[in-house]
PDB file of all heavy atoms in Angstrom:
ATOM      1  N   ASP P 704     166.474 -80.625 152.311  1.00 92.00           N
ATOM      2  CA  ASP P 704     167.584 -80.090 153.046  1.00 92.00           C
ATOM      3  C   ASP P 704     167.771 -80.462 154.418  1.00 92.00           C
ATOM      4  O   ASP P 704     168.884 -80.364 155.117  1.00 92.00           O
ATOM      5  CB  ASP P 704     167.667 -78.545 152.915  1.00 92.00           C
ATOM      6  CG  ASP P 704     166.350 -77.903 153.516  1.00 92.00           C
ATOM      7  OD1 ASP P 704     165.430 -78.681 153.617  1.00 92.00           O
ATOM      8  OD2 ASP P 704     166.383 -76.675 153.799  1.00 92.00           O
ATOM      9  N   LYS P 705     166.711 -81.027 155.091  1.00 92.00           N
ATOM     10  CA  LYS P 705     166.821 -81.280 156.542  1.00 92.00           C
ATOM     11  C   LYS P 705     166.360 -82.729 156.831  1.00 92.00           C
ATOM     12  O   LYS P 705     166.399 -83.209 158.002  1.00 92.00           O
ATOM     13  CB  LYS P 705     165.818 -80.368 157.302  1.00 92.00           C
ATOM     14  CG  LYS P 705     166.360 -78.911 157.420  1.00 92.00           C
ATOM     15  CD  LYS P 705     165.501 -78.068 158.196  1.00 92.00           C
ATOM     16  CE  LYS P 705     166.008 -76.577 158.401  1.00 92.00           C
ATOM     17  NZ  LYS P 705     166.103 -75.885 157.098  1.00 92.00           N
ATOM     18  N   GLY P 706     165.873 -83.493 155.936  1.00 93.00           N
ATOM     19  CA  GLY P 706     165.498 -84.899 156.183  1.00 93.00           C
ATOM     20  C   GLY P 706     164.161 -84.969 156.885  1.00 93.00           C
ATOM     21  O   GLY P 706     163.222 -84.249 156.486  1.00 93.00           O
ATOM     22  N   LEU P 707     164.003 -86.107 157.662  1.00 95.00           N
ATOM     23  CA  LEU P 707     162.660 -86.345 158.285  1.00 95.00           C
ATOM     24  C   LEU P 707     162.352 -85.395 159.357  1.00 95.00           C
ATOM     25  O   LEU P 707     163.184 -85.203 160.334  1.00 95.00           O
ATOM     26  CB  LEU P 707     162.683 -87.741 158.843  1.00 95.00           C
ATOM     27  CG  LEU P 707     161.433 -88.376 159.176  1.00 95.00           C
ATOM     28  CD1 LEU P 707     160.507 -88.615 157.998  1.00 95.00           C
ATOM     29  CD2 LEU P 707     161.666 -89.746 159.881  1.00 95.00           C
ATOM     30  N   LEU P 708     161.092 -84.778 159.323  1.00 94.00           N
ATOM     31  CA  LEU P 708     160.699 -83.754 160.188  1.00 94.00           C
ATOM     32  C   LEU P 708     159.226 -83.988 160.585  1.00 94.00           C
ATOM     33  O   LEU P 708     158.549 -84.680 159.911  1.00 94.00           O
ATOM     34  CB  LEU P 708     160.913 -82.302 159.587  1.00 94.00           C
ATOM     35  CG  LEU P 708     162.295 -81.898 159.194  1.00 94.00           C
ATOM     36  CD1 LEU P 708     162.072 -80.494 158.372  1.00 94.00           C
ATOM     37  CD2 LEU P 708     163.168 -81.759 160.348  1.00 94.00           C
ATOM     38  N   GLN P 709     158.936 -83.358 161.717  1.00 94.00           N
ATOM     39  CA  GLN P 709     157.510 -83.348 162.117  1.00 94.00           C
ATOM     40  C   GLN P 709     156.984 -81.961 162.258  1.00 94.00           C
ATOM     41  O   GLN P 709     157.814 -81.091 162.763  1.00 94.00           O
ATOM     42  CB  GLN P 709     157.436 -83.956 163.442  1.00 94.00           C
ATOM     43  CG  GLN P 709     157.516 -85.544 163.559  1.00 94.00           C
ATOM     44  CD  GLN P 709     157.186 -86.091 164.851  1.00 94.00           C
ATOM     45  OE1 GLN P 709     156.468 -85.568 165.608  1.00 94.00           O
ATOM     46  NE2 GLN P 709     157.553 -87.407 164.939  1.00 94.00           N
ATOM     47  N   GLY P 710     155.759 -81.724 161.812  1.00 94.00           N
ATOM     48  CA  GLY P 710     155.222 -80.343 162.054  1.00 94.00           C
ATOM     49  C   GLY P 710     153.761 -80.355 162.412  1.00 94.00           C
ATOM     50  O   GLY P 710     153.058 -81.397 162.119  1.00 94.00           O
ATOM     51  N   VAL P 711     153.339 -79.358 163.121  1.00 93.00           N
ATOM     52  CA  VAL P 711     151.932 -79.198 163.462  1.00 93.00           C
ATOM     53  C   VAL P 711     151.231 -78.234 162.534  1.00 93.00           C
ATOM     54  O   VAL P 711     151.772 -77.103 162.414  1.00 93.00           O
ATOM     55  CB  VAL P 711     151.820 -78.781 164.939  1.00 93.00           C
ATOM     56  CG1 VAL P 711     150.294 -78.461 165.288  1.00 93.00           C
ATOM     57  CG2 VAL P 711     152.386 -79.869 165.923  1.00 93.00           C
ATOM     58  N   ALA P 712     150.153 -78.573 162.038  1.00 93.00           N
ATOM     59  CA  ALA P 712     149.408 -77.607 161.090  1.00 93.00           C
ATOM     60  C   ALA P 712     148.049 -77.306 161.852  1.00 93.00           C
ATOM     61  O   ALA P 712     147.143 -78.071 161.942  1.00 93.00           O
ATOM     62  CB  ALA P 712     149.008 -78.396 159.778  1.00 93.00           C
ATOM     63  N   LYS P 713     148.165 -76.151 162.514  1.00 90.00           N
ATOM     64  CA  LYS P 713     146.995 -75.620 163.301  1.00 90.00           C
ATOM     65  C   LYS P 713     145.829 -75.373 162.436  1.00 90.00           C
ATOM     66  O   LYS P 713     145.956 -74.583 161.396  1.00 90.00           O
ATOM     67  CB  LYS P 713     147.503 -74.292 163.989  1.00 90.00           C
ATOM     68  CG  LYS P 713     148.496 -74.558 165.110  1.00 90.00           C
ATOM     69  CD  LYS P 713     147.807 -75.108 166.361  1.00 90.00           C
ATOM     70  CE  LYS P 713     148.756 -75.142 167.524  1.00 90.00           C
ATOM     71  NZ  LYS P 713     148.132 -75.686 168.725  1.00 90.00           N
ATOM     72  N   GLY P 714     144.686 -75.901 162.877  1.00 87.00           N
ATOM     73  CA  GLY P 714     143.407 -75.522 162.133  1.00 87.00           C
ATOM     74  C   GLY P 714     143.410 -76.093 160.732  1.00 87.00           C
ATOM     75  O   GLY P 714     142.590 -75.647 159.858  1.00 87.00           O
ATOM     76  N   ALA P 715     144.285 -77.080 160.372  1.00 86.00           N
ATOM     77  CA  ALA P 715     144.362 -77.579 158.969  1.00 86.00           C
ATOM     78  C   ALA P 715     143.066 -78.290 158.544  1.00 86.00           C
ATOM     79  O   ALA P 715     142.794 -78.215 157.371  1.00 86.00           O
ATOM     80  CB  ALA P 715     145.567 -78.539 158.853  1.00 86.00           C
ATOM     81  N   ARG P 716     142.372 -78.893 159.431  1.00 83.00           N
ATOM     82  CA  ARG P 716     141.189 -79.614 159.075  1.00 83.00           C
ATOM     83  C   ARG P 716     140.035 -78.641 158.693  1.00 83.00           C
ATOM     84  O   ARG P 716     139.084 -78.973 158.072  1.00 83.00           O
ATOM     85  CB  ARG P 716     140.677 -80.577 160.112  1.00 83.00           C
ATOM     86  CG  ARG P 716     141.650 -81.607 160.389  1.00 83.00           C
ATOM     87  CD  ARG P 716     141.345 -82.579 161.536  1.00 83.00           C
ATOM     88  NE  ARG P 716     140.118 -83.231 161.283  1.00 83.00           N
ATOM     89  CZ  ARG P 716     139.394 -83.856 162.137  1.00 83.00           C
ATOM     90  NH1 ARG P 716     139.850 -83.888 163.476  1.00 83.00           N
ATOM     91  NH2 ARG P 716     138.322 -84.605 161.866  1.00 83.00           N
ATOM     92  N   ARG P 717     140.103 -77.406 159.179  1.00 82.00           N
ATOM     93  CA  ARG P 717     139.102 -76.380 158.888  1.00 82.00           C
ATOM     94  C   ARG P 717     139.543 -75.421 157.716  1.00 82.00           C
ATOM     95  O   ARG P 717     138.675 -74.698 157.205  1.00 82.00           O
ATOM     96  CB  ARG P 717     138.914 -75.628 160.085  1.00 82.00           C
ATOM     97  CG  ARG P 717     138.246 -76.378 161.249  1.00 82.00           C
ATOM     98  CD  ARG P 717     137.999 -75.561 162.531  1.00 82.00           C
ATOM     99  NE  ARG P 717     137.340 -76.198 163.583  1.00 82.00           N
ATOM    100  CZ  ARG P 717     137.206 -75.714 164.776  1.00 82.00           C
ATOM    101  NH1 ARG P 717     137.644 -74.493 165.055  1.00 82.00           N
ATOM    102  NH2 ARG P 717     136.561 -76.429 165.771  1.00 82.00           N
ATOM    103  N   SER P 718     140.829 -75.268 157.550  1.00 76.00           N
ATOM    104  CA  SER P 718     141.364 -74.375 156.504  1.00 76.00           C
ATOM    105  C   SER P 718     140.938 -74.697 155.154  1.00 76.00           C
ATOM    106  O   SER P 718     141.186 -75.807 154.636  1.00 76.00           O
ATOM    107  CB  SER P 718     142.845 -74.270 156.739  1.00 76.00           C
ATOM    108  OG  SER P 718     143.423 -73.333 155.707  1.00 76.00           O
ATOM    109  N   LEU P 719     140.510 -73.673 154.384  1.00 71.00           N
ATOM    110  CA  LEU P 719     140.136 -73.863 152.912  1.00 71.00           C
ATOM    111  C   LEU P 719     141.145 -73.208 152.017  1.00 71.00           C
ATOM    112  O   LEU P 719     141.051 -73.335 150.866  1.00 71.00           O
ATOM    113  CB  LEU P 719     138.785 -73.264 152.792  1.00 71.00           C
ATOM    114  CG  LEU P 719     137.553 -73.855 153.535  1.00 71.00           C
ATOM    115  CD1 LEU P 719     136.312 -73.193 153.179  1.00 71.00           C
ATOM    116  CD2 LEU P 719     137.483 -75.395 153.236  1.00 71.00           C
ATOM    117  N   LYS P 720     142.198 -72.589 152.663  1.00 84.00           N
ATOM    118  CA  LYS P 720     143.211 -71.819 151.799  1.00 84.00           C
ATOM    119  C   LYS P 720     144.678 -72.198 152.087  1.00 84.00           C
ATOM    120  O   LYS P 720     145.300 -72.378 151.158  1.00 84.00           O
ATOM    121  CB  LYS P 720     142.977 -70.301 152.035  1.00 84.00           C
ATOM    122  CG  LYS P 720     141.597 -69.747 151.583  1.00 84.00           C
ATOM    123  CD  LYS P 720     141.616 -68.176 151.750  1.00 84.00           C
ATOM    124  CE  LYS P 720     140.272 -67.603 151.323  1.00 84.00           C
ATOM    125  NZ  LYS P 720     140.183 -66.210 151.533  1.00 84.00           N
ATOM    126  N   ARG P 721     145.093 -72.377 153.379  1.00 88.00           N
ATOM    127  CA  ARG P 721     146.329 -72.594 153.635  1.00 88.00           C
ATOM    128  C   ARG P 721     146.974 -73.908 153.238  1.00 88.00           C
ATOM    129  O   ARG P 721     148.111 -74.027 152.946  1.00 88.00           O
ATOM    130  CB  ARG P 721     146.696 -72.422 155.067  1.00 88.00           C
ATOM    131  CG  ARG P 721     146.396 -70.915 155.648  1.00 88.00           C
ATOM    132  CD  ARG P 721     146.807 -70.738 157.025  1.00 88.00           C
ATOM    133  NE  ARG P 721     145.936 -71.647 157.949  1.00 88.00           N
ATOM    134  CZ  ARG P 721     146.498 -72.378 158.877  1.00 88.00           C
ATOM    135  NH1 ARG P 721     147.812 -72.449 159.114  1.00 88.00           N
ATOM    136  NH2 ARG P 721     145.706 -73.173 159.657  1.00 88.00           N
ATOM    137  N   PHE P 722     146.114 -75.014 153.295  1.00 89.00           N
ATOM    138  CA  PHE P 722     146.655 -76.332 153.022  1.00 89.00           C
ATOM    139  C   PHE P 722     145.837 -77.144 152.008  1.00 89.00           C
ATOM    140  O   PHE P 722     145.452 -78.288 152.340  1.00 89.00           O
ATOM    141  CB  PHE P 722     146.789 -77.165 154.352  1.00 89.00           C
ATOM    142  CG  PHE P 722     147.679 -76.526 155.341  1.00 89.00           C
ATOM    143  CD1 PHE P 722     147.153 -75.834 156.486  1.00 89.00           C
ATOM    144  CD2 PHE P 722     149.113 -76.513 155.172  1.00 89.00           C
ATOM    145  CE1 PHE P 722     147.978 -75.310 157.505  1.00 89.00           C
ATOM    146  CE2 PHE P 722     149.873 -75.968 156.128  1.00 89.00           C
ATOM    147  CZ  PHE P 722     149.349 -75.286 157.259  1.00 89.00           C
ATOM    148  N   VAL P 723     145.435 -76.568 150.949  1.00 87.00           N
ATOM    149  CA  VAL P 723     144.597 -77.150 150.041  1.00 87.00           C
ATOM    150  C   VAL P 723     145.179 -78.498 149.424  1.00 87.00           C
ATOM    151  O   VAL P 723     146.269 -78.293 148.704  1.00 87.00           O
ATOM    152  CB  VAL P 723     144.137 -76.208 148.864  1.00 87.00           C
ATOM    153  CG1 VAL P 723     143.194 -76.916 147.911  1.00 87.00           C
ATOM    154  CG2 VAL P 723     143.434 -74.917 149.487  1.00 87.00           C
ATOM    155  N   ASN P 724     144.611 -79.622 149.621  1.00 87.00           N
ATOM    156  CA  ASN P 724     145.137 -80.940 149.111  1.00 87.00           C
ATOM    157  C   ASN P 724     146.574 -81.199 149.382  1.00 87.00           C
ATOM    158  O   ASN P 724     147.285 -81.917 148.662  1.00 87.00           O
ATOM    159  CB  ASN P 724     144.906 -80.915 147.552  1.00 87.00           C
ATOM    160  CG  ASN P 724     143.466 -80.830 147.236  1.00 87.00           C
ATOM    161  OD1 ASN P 724     142.607 -81.270 147.936  1.00 87.00           O
ATOM    162  ND2 ASN P 724     143.072 -80.109 146.139  1.00 87.00           N
ATOM    163  N   CYS P 725     147.025 -80.774 150.434  1.00 89.00           N
ATOM    164  CA  CYS P 725     148.533 -80.820 150.820  1.00 89.00           C
ATOM    165  C   CYS P 725     148.908 -82.034 151.584  1.00 89.00           C
ATOM    166  O   CYS P 725     150.021 -82.429 151.457  1.00 89.00           O
ATOM    167  CB  CYS P 725     149.006 -79.621 151.533  1.00 89.00           C
ATOM    168  SG  CYS P 725     149.252 -78.018 150.591  1.00 89.00           S
ATOM    169  N   PHE P 726     147.963 -82.608 152.281  1.00 90.00           N
ATOM    170  CA  PHE P 726     148.331 -83.638 153.269  1.00 90.00           C
ATOM    171  C   PHE P 726     147.874 -85.059 152.836  1.00 90.00           C
ATOM    172  O   PHE P 726     147.677 -85.878 153.732  1.00 90.00           O
ATOM    173  CB  PHE P 726     147.895 -83.203 154.699  1.00 90.00           C
ATOM    174  CG  PHE P 726     148.445 -82.025 155.132  1.00 90.00           C
ATOM    175  CD1 PHE P 726     147.780 -81.047 155.844  1.00 90.00           C
ATOM    176  CD2 PHE P 726     149.782 -81.728 154.955  1.00 90.00           C
ATOM    177  CE1 PHE P 726     148.330 -79.884 156.309  1.00 90.00           C
ATOM    178  CE2 PHE P 726     150.441 -80.597 155.408  1.00 90.00           C
ATOM    179  CZ  PHE P 726     149.675 -79.650 156.145  1.00 90.00           C
ATOM    180  N   GLU P 727     147.737 -85.330 151.475  1.00 89.00           N
ATOM    181  CA  GLU P 727     147.524 -86.676 151.057  1.00 89.00           C
ATOM    182  C   GLU P 727     148.942 -87.330 151.079  1.00 89.00           C
ATOM    183  O   GLU P 727     149.950 -86.813 150.694  1.00 89.00           O
ATOM    184  CB  GLU P 727     146.984 -86.657 149.582  1.00 89.00           C
ATOM    185  CG  GLU P 727     145.559 -86.204 149.495  1.00 89.00           C
ATOM    186  CD  GLU P 727     144.613 -87.278 150.013  1.00 89.00           C
ATOM    187  OE1 GLU P 727     144.926 -88.408 150.046  1.00 89.00           O
ATOM    188  OE2 GLU P 727     143.486 -86.905 150.324  1.00 89.00           O
ATOM    189  N   THR P 728     148.955 -88.617 151.581  1.00 90.00           N
ATOM    190  CA  THR P 728     150.156 -89.306 151.643  1.00 90.00           C
ATOM    191  C   THR P 728     150.750 -89.392 150.144  1.00 90.00           C
ATOM    192  O   THR P 728     150.018 -89.490 149.224  1.00 90.00           O
ATOM    193  CB  THR P 728     149.975 -90.690 152.186  1.00 90.00           C
ATOM    194  OG1 THR P 728     149.236 -90.627 153.413  1.00 90.00           O
ATOM    195  CG2 THR P 728     151.416 -91.418 152.505  1.00 90.00           C
TER     196      THR P 728
END
């Protein structure tokens, strides 16, 4: 709905719950 965006994922490299396997290209 919004096209190309940028976002910051705080603590994503340490998180075991919030971003599980989400950031593979």
Side-chain angles (χ1 to χ4, degrees):
D704 57 341
K705 291 184 173 61
L707 193 66
L708 300 173
Q709 289 189 14
V711 174
K713 290 284 188 179
R716 298 177 64 193
R717 295 177 178 175
S718 175
L719 299 178
K720 294 182 179 180
R721 293 187 298 130
F722 301 107
V723 179
N724 299 324
C725 283
F726 296 141
E727 290 285 339
T728 311

